[in-house]
C-alpha cells in the first residue's frame, strides 16, 4: 500500500507513519464492507484526518471508486474513472455563496449513491471528514442515517461498500450515539513505537524521545507544535491556554473541580462532578469523557492503556494530551 505524503510542519513533509493496525482494519472493511457507517472520534491532532486520507488512497488501490470529502477545509479527492465526480466536487468546493461546506457534505453521499446506481460501480467508498460542523450538529444523526440508507437500500446491487465519517467534535458523539445508526469508534494518539518513528523523522536537534513522549503523549499535532516552537514546551502550553480560552472567569468558576481534575481526572467520573463543566471540557477538546472499554475491537488502531497517570489517561476519562492538562494547570496557577 502506498503511503501518502503529509505536511507535518512548515518545511517538513513526512510519509504516513505506522498505524498498521488501523490499516489492517481497513483491509477487513474493504473485504467485508462496513455494516454501519463508522464514525471515528478521538483527541484533536491524534491523526484522524491523516488516517482517513490514507484510507482513501488505499481503497483506491484496492479497486474501490472512492469519494473523499473534507468539508471543513473544502478539500476533496476522487478515485474513479467517472470524470463527472471530480468535476462536481470541484464545483461544490468553489461555491462562493458560503455554502461550499454544506454542499460538499451532502454531495459526498449523493455521488456515492450515483456511483452505484447510475454508473453501476460495485465497490464504492465514501469517506467524509468534519461534516458535522457543515451540516449542523443537530443534523449529525440524520446525516449518518443517510449513509446507512445507502448501505441498506442501495439504488442497485453492489459488492462492497465502505462508509467512514470522522469528527473532532466530542459532542457529536452524543447526537449519534443515541441512535443505532452508526458504529462509533474511538481512536487514540499513536502508540509509543509508532510515535517514535514519527519523532525520528523530524530534522534538526531535538530533546530525547522520552521528553517528546511525556509532553505530546503520542499526539502527532502536539509533536509538530513542539517542533515548530523549537521544543519550547512553555510556549506551546501558553498558546494552547489562549486557544482554549482558559480565562480567569472560567478558572474561578470551576476551580475546585479543575484542581481535582489536574491531579486525577477520574474525579470527574466519580459522581458529583458538574455536568456543565464536563460538557465544557469536552466541547473545548480538552478531555475525552467516557472512554470505551479497551477491547481492541472497539478501537481504531491500538487502544490507549487502561491507565497512565503520567499521560493523564484514566479508565473513564483522559486528557487529550499531557499538554492539555498542563494548560489547565497553568491557568489555575495564574488566577
Ligand atoms: N500517521 C501519521 N503519519 C505522519 N503524520 C501524521 C500521522 N497522523 C497525523 N499526522 C500529522 O499530524 C498532524 C495532525 O493530524 P490530523 O490532522 O490527522 O489530526 P486529527 O485527528 O484529524 O485532528 P483534528 O481533530 O483537529 O481534526 C497533521 O499534520 C498530520 O499530517
Ligand atoms: Mg482532522
Amino acid at each position: 500500500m502506498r503511503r501518502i505524503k503529509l505536511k507535518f510542519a512548515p518545511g517538513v513533509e513526512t510519509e504516513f507513519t505506522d498505524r498498521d493496525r488501523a490499516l489492517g482494519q481497513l483491509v477487513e472493511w474493504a473485504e467485508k464492507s462496513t455494516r454501519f457507517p463508522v464514525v471515528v472520534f478521538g483527541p484533536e491532532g491524534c491523526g484522524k484526518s491523516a488516517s482517513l486520507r490514507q484510507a482513501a488512497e488505499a481503497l483506491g488501490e484496492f479497486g474501490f471508486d472512492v469519494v473523499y470529502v473534507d468539508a471543513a477545509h473544502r478539500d476533496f479527492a476522487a478515485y474513479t474513472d467517472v470524470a463527472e465526480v471530480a468535476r462536481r466536487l470541484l464545483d461544490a468546493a468553489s461555491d462562493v455563496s458560503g455554502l461550499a461546506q454544506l454542499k460538499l457534505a451532502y454531495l459526498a453521499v449523493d455521488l456515492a449513491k450515483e456511483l452505484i446506481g447510475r454508473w453501476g460501480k460495485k465497490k464504492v467508498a465514501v469517506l467524509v471528514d468534519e461534516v458535522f460542523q457543515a451540516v449542523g450538529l443537530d443534523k449529525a444523526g440524520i446525516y449518518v442515517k443517510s449513509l446507512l440508507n445507502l448501505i441498506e437500500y442501495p439504488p442497485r446491487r453492489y459488492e462492497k461498500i465502505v462508509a467512514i465519517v470522522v469528527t473532532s467534535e466530542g459532542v457529536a458523539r452524543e447526537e449519534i450515539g443515541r441512535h443505532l445508526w452508526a458504529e462509533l469508534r474511538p481512536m487514540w494518539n499513536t502508540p509509543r513505537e509508532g510515535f517514535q518513528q514519527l519523532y525520528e523523522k523530524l530534522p534538526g536537534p531535538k530533546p530525547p524521545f522520552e521528553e517528546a513522549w511525556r509532553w505530546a503523549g503520542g499526539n502527532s499535532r502536539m509533536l509538530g507544535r513542539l517542533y515548530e516552537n523549537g521544543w519550547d514546551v512553555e510556549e506551546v502550553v501558553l498558546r494552547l491556554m489562549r486557544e482554549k480560552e482558559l480565562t480567569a472567569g472560567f478558572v474561578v468558576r470551576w476551580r475546585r473541580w479543575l484542581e481535582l481534575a489536574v491531579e486525577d481526572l477520574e474525579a470527574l467520573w466519580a459522581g458529583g462532578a458538574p455536568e456543565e463543566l464536563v460538557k465544557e471540557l469536552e466541547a473545548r477538546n480538552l478531555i475525552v469523557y467516557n472512554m470505551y472499554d479497551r477491547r481492541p475491537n472497539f478501537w481504531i488502531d491500538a487502544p490507549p492503556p487502561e491507565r497512565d497517570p503520567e499521560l493523564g489517561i484514566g479508565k473513564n476519562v483522559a486528557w487529550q494530551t499531557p499538554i492539555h492538562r498542563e494548560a489547565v494547570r497553568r491557568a489555575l496557577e495564574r488566577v
Side-chain angles (χ1 to χ4, degrees):
M1 177 185 309
R2 193 182 80 87
R3 298 232 169 199
I4 56 166
K5 288 263 186 292
L6 292 160
K7 231 186 102 206
F8 188 72
V12 185
E13 221 186 38
T14 56
E15 229 174 34
F16 183 79
T17 305
D18 188 51
R19 295 295 194 186
D20 293 347
R21 179 162 190 271
L23 295 175
Q25 289 169 312
L26 183 71
V27 171
E28 261 176 52
W29 285 328
E31 281 164 1
K32 291 197 314 219
S33 297
T34 47
R35 169 63 188 88
F36 295 96
V38 177
V39 178
V40 182
F41 65 95
E44 54 181 358
C46 73
K48 299 179 296 296
S49 296
S51 304
L52 193 68
R53 194 68 193 72
Q54 174 67 47
E57 171 78 24
L59 289 165
E61 276 180 30
F62 300 157
F64 277 72
D65 285 68
V66 183
V67 179
Y68 160 90
V69 160
D70 175 350
H73 300 101
R74 295 192 187 193
D75 192 17
F76 64 86
Y79 296 78
T80 173
D81 57 6
V82 180
E84 192 183 316
V85 171
R87 194 170 44 70
R88 282 166 62 194
L89 285 165
L90 181 61
D91 276 353
S94 343
D95 182 281
V96 288
S97 66
L99 294 175
Q101 300 189 350
L102 194 67
K103 284 187 174 173
L104 275 173
Y106 287 111
L107 185 60
V109 187
D110 289 347
L111 287 173
K113 197 170 183 176
E114 285 184 38
L115 280 167
I116 295 170
R118 187 167 148 216
W119 305 98
K121 298 295 184 182
K122 296 287 179 231
K123 289 164 74 175
V124 172
V126 50
L127 311 177
V128 289
D129 198 350
E130 301 293 358
V131 285
F132 299 148
Q133 273 158 319
V135 302
L137 265 184
D138 54 325
K139 302 212 179 54
I142 301 291
Y143 186 86
V144 174
K145 182 79 195 290
S146 71
L147 285 170
L148 179 64
N149 276 340
L150 180 64
I151 294 175
E152 294 189 327
Y153 306 103
R156 231 204 257 197
R157 212 185 62 76
Y158 62 75
E159 282 166 26
K160 309 276 187 241
I161 193 162
V162 172
I164 307 176
V165 182
V166 162
T167 179
S168 58
E169 302 273 348
V171 277
R173 221 177 125 186
E174 252 171 67
E175 167 64 22
I176 294 157
R178 282 194 277 118
H179 311 288
L180 295 173
W181 296 338
E183 193 181 330
L184 273 167
R185 284 286 198 103
M187 177 171 173
W188 198 250
N189 298 317
T190 311
R192 197 182 165 94
E193 210 174 290
F195 191 64
Q196 186 154 10
Q197 288 173 29
L198 196 55
Y199 159 91
E200 303 289 354
K201 286 181 182 171
L202 292 174
K206 44 194 166 193
F209 172 69
E210 270 315 310
E211 207 169 305
W213 174 252
R214 192 156 51 83
W215 285 115
N219 186 280
S220 322
R221 184 173 301 133
M222 275 308 170
L223 181 67
R225 288 204 169 177
L226 287 166
Y227 169 80
E228 275 171 55
N229 288 286
W231 303 98
D232 183 344
V233 176
E234 171 98 5
E235 175 83 19
V236 177
V237 170
L238 292 176
R239 276 172 196 269
L240 195 66
M241 275 168 72
R242 264 207 309 274
E243 283 165 23
K244 300 294 179 187
E245 297 184 29
L246 297 172
T247 57
F250 178 73
V251 171
V252 167
R253 175 153 187 224
W254 302 113
R255 175 178 281 283
R256 192 169 79 81
W257 284 102
L258 290 174
E259 276 171 354
L260 286 172
V262 291
E263 282 317 310
D264 179 7
L265 197 49
E266 287 292 292
L268 296 186
W269 184 258
E275 204 176 315
E276 194 187 338
L277 172 64
V278 170
K279 286 269 163 312
E280 192 61 35
L281 293 171
E282 262 189 308
R284 293 184 194 210
N285 270 332
L286 284 161
I287 65 170
V288 174
Y289 198 73
N290 191 2
M291 301 271 283
Y292 282 36
D293 196 295
R294 305 303 200 271
R295 226 174 277 217
N297 279 349
F298 288 171
W299 294 77
I300 300 283
D301 205 58
E306 189 80 14
R307 274 193 188 82
D308 187 329
E310 205 189 359
L311 297 185
I313 299 171
K315 185 171 185 301
N316 301 291
V317 196
W319 291 101
Q320 296 207 348
T321 74
I323 292 203
H324 287 74
R325 175 179 58 192
E326 187 60 20
V328 173
R329 195 201 303 277
R330 283 306 190 77
L332 281 163
E333 271 175 18
R334 204 179 45 174
V335 180

